[in-house]
Amino acid sequence: MTRVLLTGGSGFIAVHVLEALLAHGHSVVTSVRSESKAQMLRDTFPEVGKDRLDFVFVADIAQEGAFDEAVKSDPPFDWVMHTASPFHFNVTDPQKDLLDPAIIGTTGILKAIKTNAPSVKRVVITSSFAAVFDPKAGNRPEHTYSEKDWNPITAEEAIQNPPSGYRASKTFAEKAAWEFVEREKPHFTLSTMNPPMVFGPIHPKLQTLDTLNTSNQRIRDMMMGKMADEVPAAGVNVWVDVRDLALAHIRAAERPQAAGKRFFVTAGYFSNREIADAIRELLPEVKNAAKGGEFPKEYFKYDNSQTKEVLGISFRSVKDMVKDTLPTLKAIGA
């Protein structure tokens, strides 16, 4: 049985990674900020005993040495999956609220593994398409985004506003991880996940209508008829189902050929119009605008071949995602 440390276990992506790890027969210790978060996870997986799901408390991942004790385990860890990183724009100080937790949390856990967890062979980090995409370049219909691309954001741009702070936090944290591996030559390999918009079912015990992940908020609003006048543009028109992303994390740890690689984990294109139409088909009583949210006339191309070939991921459709997501949002009052 593989022993896995999963950071930030109550997060939207992380809890799907946790569910997939447990389904694959692994034993997981997940870091959480509080006992209440741990109890929510126990309630979400009531049939799983302490031998396969346990907890370690890390109150602030931006503190130096935050993971020094968390990486120690008996039996020792084989894999580490680092998903803990802030993704919200409700910030006053991009440096303190976004950049520091992402960068210090990432470099801190890698240092802790190198020093205190010699048994760890695989590390998988949840990065983002935000570390790939260059928003200043526009829709770039001539360009094909892949793992080779990096967001060229600067330190000066990073602190200008929360969205720039978020994109920079993912870019700088992932670059710091690859630089660490290059410089320190640790005993473990690194793979990173670079998903774009992440949609999919939630776990009702862990989220409320107010604490939904940013991507799923638009599905909530459409379900509740809040787009009756017009469906807005998506902004970013590439996506992935959270369950496919969770499986990609596990395959990246399982497969030796995934070591040392980034993965642009995307199912491809979507539009808010496509989501709204799928909701209308499933919930005819919901009245959203019949216009707006269409796919842009010109848009960049994408290359997800590395995810499909190396990790063997087959992606769900938008319609299937919406069908499976709606009941979980209904369960929390949408």
Side-chain angles (χ1 to χ4, degrees):
M1 189 189 301
T2 303
R3 182 84 159 161
V4 186
L5 173 64
L6 171 69
T7 70
S10 61
F12 171 58
I13 294 171
V15 74
H16 281 276
V17 174
L18 172 57
E19 187 170 40
L21 285 166
L22 294 171
H24 281 71
H26 302 308
S27 168
V28 186
V29 176
T30 184
S31 75
V32 289
R33 290 194 306 274
S34 64
E35 170 57 33
S36 63
K37 296 279 190 192
Q39 191 55 51
M40 287 177 184
L41 286 168
R42 291 188 196 101
D43 293 343
T44 300
F45 302 102
E47 73 290 351
V48 180
K50 188 179 169 68
D51 59 323
R52 294 198 50 229
L53 176 58
D54 207 355
F55 302 92
V56 62
F57 297 100
V58 178
D60 182 2
I61 65 172
Q63 289 293 314
E64 196 66 42
F67 289 105
D68 286 358
E69 294 303 313
V71 299
K72 298 175 183 174
S73 173
D74 184 16
F77 292 119
D78 305 290
W79 304 345
V80 174
M81 298 196 174
H82 180 53
T83 74
S85 189
F87 179 18
H88 57 84
F89 298 149
N90 182 23
V91 301
T92 53
D93 180 346
Q95 184 71 46
K96 183 168 71 69
D97 297 335
L98 292 171
L99 292 161
D100 287 351
I103 299 163
I104 296 169
T106 298
T107 54
I109 197 164
L110 296 178
K111 287 178 194 168
I113 297 165
K114 183 171 186 281
T115 305
N116 296 327
S119 59
V120 171
K121 300 293 186 289
R122 303 264 190 274
V123 175
V124 180
I125 292 178
T126 312
S127 184
S128 171
F129 183 55
V132 173
F133 178 60
D134 179 3
K136 296 194 297 295
N139 284 350
R140 299 179 84 182
E142 78 293 343
H143 186 72
T144 300
Y145 276 105
S146 74
E147 292 85 358
K148 298 183 184 75
D149 291 285
W150 282 94
N151 184 341
I153 193 165
T154 66
E156 293 73 33
E157 292 166 335
I159 55 174
Q160 287 176 2
N161 54 61
S164 293
Y166 169 71
R167 288 189 286 265
S169 76
K170 299 308 272 189
T171 304
F172 299 164
E174 190 190 346
K175 281 188 171 178
W178 289 115
E179 287 162 6
F180 179 92
V181 170
E182 178 67 27
R183 183 179 66 249
E184 300 290 332
K185 306 286 190 290
H187 53 270
F188 54 82
T189 64
L190 175 65
S191 304
T192 61
M193 304 287 111
N194 295 83
M197 304 299 287
V198 183
F199 299 107
I202 64 157
H203 290 79
K205 288 187 170 67
L206 291 168
Q207 292 188 285
T208 67
L209 287 179
D210 295 328
T211 62
L212 281 181
N213 66 299
T214 306
S215 302
N216 270 344
Q217 287 171 10
R218 74 188 64 189
I219 301 180
R220 170 199 68 193
D221 291 348
M222 289 178 192
M223 278 181 75
M224 299 176 78
K226 292 184 177 178
M227 297 184 185
D229 295 329
E230 185 173 20
V231 175
V236 173
N237 285 86
V238 280
W239 79 290
V240 67
D241 187 297
V242 67
R243 295 164 293 182
D244 298 334
L245 176 59
L247 180 60
H249 280 74
I250 293 163
R251 295 264 177 88
E254 287 175 343
R255 300 188 174 189
Q257 62 269 38
K261 291 183 173 71
R262 306 172 85 201
F263 291 95
F264 181 17
V265 188
T266 182
Y269 297 133
F270 85 101
S271 67
N272 279 355
R273 168 52 43 205
E274 190 178 359
I275 293 176
D277 289 348
I279 290 173
R280 188 169 66 241
E281 196 175 304
L282 292 160
L283 300 173
E285 69 276 13
V286 173
K287 303 302 180 198
N288 285 306
K291 65 180 195 309
E294 286 82 9
F295 192 79
K297 287 186 171 62
E298 292 190 322
Y299 209 59
F300 60 76
K301 296 181 274 293
Y302 66 90
D303 178 0
N304 63 357
S305 58
Q306 183 153 282
T307 299
K308 291 198 282 193
E309 290 164 11
V310 177
L311 303 183
I313 302 296
S314 299
F315 292 103
R316 288 172 170 84
S317 68
V318 169
K319 189 173 277 191
D320 285 343
M321 176 276 294
V322 171
K323 178 171 63 71
D324 294 344
T325 301
L326 294 184
T328 69
L329 294 177
K330 271 190 170 178
I332 59 170

